[in-house]
């Protein structure tokens, strides 16, 4: 009996313990999700990665890094010059490339900007959404600032997509789960979203001299918003927004020589592109947004394998260009790449015939942008083994070899000096043998200076475009003439101004600076101008190519809805 009672007591006690445990669970653990939730204390996770000022600041810096990495680290953006009215790449068609086989739904040239833009959009959405969390450790003022810069980049990414692809899916929140039912908004809706984001940015970003050159300021947002208003045909709004930039007391076109090499022969346009002269700290009141490209510093570039090798891409291979000698043999113009004359150019993006000659008609010897300081058209022989050493190719009528496409589209053509850093290459790129001063090794080739993403001259030309759209060619001419007068070029009359004249002026002022194809596509003028002004490239360009195709991978993966392809493109 005692044994039985003892077993009953044990059973009762066990039941009591179970009931007590259930009561505790019921009253003290009513939120099972919260109970099971991990709280990371010693590693980064989504829950603790966006809390402090430093967290959000790093995230915004990453937006800069992603944009710079795509636009300046990758090869694809070179198409924005090579497939345009600006450049005649030896690749098209002599190097085996044609436009219709490069700009395809499966091509990297198409998926590159699409992927980069949506990466920026995703990251910007994360910043905007996480900054609204109740647990963040930033003030309302700091939150607004981070959101303003993130919304600027979101708009900048949608601007790229809208100009290149037309209507695209609009995503305005953090994507937290796989989604396969995207549909395209219209191009108008994409631009309207850009305008909404940029209006917020203009209202909340700091003034241009309140932040350093690496960050976005209010005037940069106003400049981009001007372009978006033009795309929306909101002409008066565009004029007013551009005027905020132009009339700001902190900005002005540079009209006098300045900066790091002011004591050397040159002119003010030459000065704009010398090392150290791009940022406002140099006294440059024309700089609005400058992409920082510091050499061999954290966050900069090492000078190799970097798309921002403008010098490498656009300079001719004078060390392979040849002069016929008196005995019938040939010898190169330069015996090595040379720091003072184009560095180690490889001639990927030679200026088009239109750019070299026709563009400057009427002011060939007046416009300083075409001066010998800025476009070098004659070259001195710098090769001790060449019997004409020390003489000039054209001035001395030397028999330069121009027989093949490689001769004229890679080896010998005018040198665009704004893409070079004459005499300022890092010491490790200089050849040990300086018999010919300036000799470089084959490792040289990067333009080692900061790059203008937005410059005030561009704002003047955008406002001219808005005036023209608004039916006021006289005001358009006045803005164009502000730019031309700085260049000592004759004034244009209102009767001469149309959209093609403005595009010509952009080519004179912003060559190898703006991404030219994006501008042409923005205006629906890519096919027309490339076919008529750069027929070597345009010969293989289809009439449907005023827009890029939607990447085929994204169309195929979007199984929940139809992501429509742009007209004229197939499925490959």
């Amino acid at each position: 009996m005692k044994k039985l009672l003892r077993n009953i007591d044990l059973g009762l006690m066990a039941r009591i313990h179970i009931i007590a445990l259930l009561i505790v669970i019921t009253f003290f653990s009513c939120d099972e999700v919260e109970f099971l939730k991990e709280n990371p204390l010693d590693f980064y996770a989504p829950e603790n990665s966006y809390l402090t000022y430093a967290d959000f600041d790093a995230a915004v810096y990453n937006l800069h890094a992603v944009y710079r990495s795509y636009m300046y680290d990758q090869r694809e953006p070179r198409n924005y010059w090579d497939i345009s009215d600006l450049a005649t790449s030896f690749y098209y068609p002599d190097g085996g490339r044609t436009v219709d086989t490069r700009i395809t739904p499966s091509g990297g040239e198409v998926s590159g900007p699409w992927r980069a833009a949506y990466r920026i959009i995703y990251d910007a959405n994360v910043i905007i959404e996480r900054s609204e969390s109740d647990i963040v450790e930033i003030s309302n003022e700091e939150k607004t600032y981070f959101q303003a810069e993130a919304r600027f980049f979101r708009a900048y990414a949608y601007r790229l997509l809208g100009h290149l692809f037309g209507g695209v899916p609009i995503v305005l929140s953090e994507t937290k789960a796989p989604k396969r039912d995207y549909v395209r908004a219209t191009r108008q809706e994409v631009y309207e979203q850009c305008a909404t984001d940029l209006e917020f940015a203009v209202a909340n970003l700091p003034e241009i001299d309140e932040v350093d050159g690496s960050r976005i300021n209010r005037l940069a947002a106003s400049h981009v918003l001007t372009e978006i208003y033009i795309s929306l045909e909101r002409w008066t709004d565009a004029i007013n927004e551009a005027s905020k930039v132009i009339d700001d007391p902190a900005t002005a076109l540079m009209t006098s020589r300045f900066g790091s090499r002011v004591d050397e022969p040159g002119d003010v346009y030459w000065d704009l592109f010398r090392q150290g002269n791009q940022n406002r700290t140099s006294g440059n009141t024309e700089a609005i947004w400058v992409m920082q490209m510091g050499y061999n510093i954290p966050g900069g570039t090492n000078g190799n394998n970097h798309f921002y090798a403008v010098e490498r891409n656009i300079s001719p291979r004078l060390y392979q260009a040849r002069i016929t000698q008196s005995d019938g043999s040939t010898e190169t113009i330069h015996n090595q790449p040379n720091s003072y004359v184009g560095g180690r150019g490889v001639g990927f993006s030679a200026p088009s015939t239109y750019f070299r000659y026709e563009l400057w008609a009427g002011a060939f010897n007046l416009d300083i942008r075409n001066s010998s300081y800025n476009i070098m058209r004659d070259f001195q022989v710098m090769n001790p083994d060449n019997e004409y050493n020390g003489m000039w190719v054209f001035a001395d009528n030397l028999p330069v070899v121009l027989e093949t496409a490689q001769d004229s589209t890679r080896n010998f053509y005018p040198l665009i000096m704004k893409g070079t850093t004459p005499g300022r290459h890092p010491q490790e790129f200089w050849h040990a043998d300086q018999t010919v001063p300036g000799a470089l090794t084959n490792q040289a080739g990067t333009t080692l200076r900061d790059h203008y993403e937005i410059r005030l001259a561009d704002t003047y030309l955008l406002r001219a475009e808005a005036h023209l759209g608004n039916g006021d060619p006289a005001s358009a001419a006045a803005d164009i003439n502000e730019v031309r007068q700085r260049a000592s070029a004759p004034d244009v009359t209102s009767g001469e101004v149309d959209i093609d004249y403005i595009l010509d002026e952009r080519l004179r002022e912003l060559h190898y600076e703006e991404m030219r194809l994006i501008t042409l596509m923005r205006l629906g003028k890519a096919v027309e101008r490339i076919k008529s002004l750069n027929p070597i490239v345009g010969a293989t360009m289809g009439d449907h190519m005023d827009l890029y195709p939607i990447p085929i991978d994204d169309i195929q993966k979007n199984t929940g809805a139809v992501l429509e392809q742009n007209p004229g493109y197939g499925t490959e």
Side-chain angles (χ1 to χ4, degrees), residues 58-68 120 123-124 127 149-150 153:
V60 169
Y61 264 119
N62 185 60
L63 295 175
H64 290 258
V66 172
Y67 176 75
R68 190 184 72 171
I120 291 170
D123 290 345
I127 293 168
E149 201 159 2
F153 273 102

Side-chain angles (χ1 to χ4, degrees), residues 378-400:
D378 198 3
F379 302 101
Q380 187 176 34
V381 177
M382 294 191 293
N383 180 356
D385 295 328
N386 192 311
E387 66 183 82
Y388 301 109
N389 189 39
M391 299 177 68
W392 292 80
V393 174
F394 290 138
D396 295 313
N397 198 28
L398 303 185
V400 60

Side-chain angles (χ1 to χ4, degrees), residues 452-491:
Y452 297 109
E453 192 68 23
I454 299 173
R455 187 159 60 85
L456 185 62
D458 190 350
T459 316
Y460 272 102
L461 296 177
L462 280 181
R463 192 170 71 173
E465 198 176 317
H467 280 307
L468 182 66
N470 205 38
D472 185 2
S475 294
D479 277 341
I480 295 168
N481 287 333
E482 289 289 332
V483 177
R484 289 181 64 78
Q485 286 165 12
R486 190 266 296 282
S488 300
D491 283 355

